[in-house]
Amino acid sequence: MATGATHKTIYMPTLEQFRICAPPRPEQERIVRRLRDQLAAAESAHLAAEAQLKEIQRLPERILATAFGDGERAA
């Protein structure tokens, strides 16, 4: 769409012909709310997965402590 030999540019008449397809404002706001809800759910799942990973990493220590009679310290 750009023209010119030395410096490529898009002239105003060409720019004025551009059309941007966007949903109406209420629909955009609904989409934003839904995306925020989904991002919050993803963050919650991420935090839960991190907590589970920490518990998994502590598991060998707990198993050994339980196996060798030192179950109080494993908790």
Side-chain angles (χ1 to χ4, degrees), residues 3 5 7 15-17 19 25 28 30 32 34 36 40 47-48 56 64 67 75:
T3 59
H7 176 50
L15 190 60
E16 288 172 338
Q17 292 177 6
R19 296 292 177 250
R25 180 71 183 232
Q28 292 178 38
R30 186 192 67 77
V32 168
R34 182 151 183 204
R36 283 186 181 150
L47 293 174
I56 289 169
L64 288 173

Side-chain angles (χ1 to χ4, degrees), residues 58-75:
R58 292 180 60 200
L59 191 57
E61 175 188 342
R62 288 179 173 180
I63 290 172
L64 288 173
T66 301
F68 292 105
D70 194 10
E72 290 81 29
R73 229 185 323 157

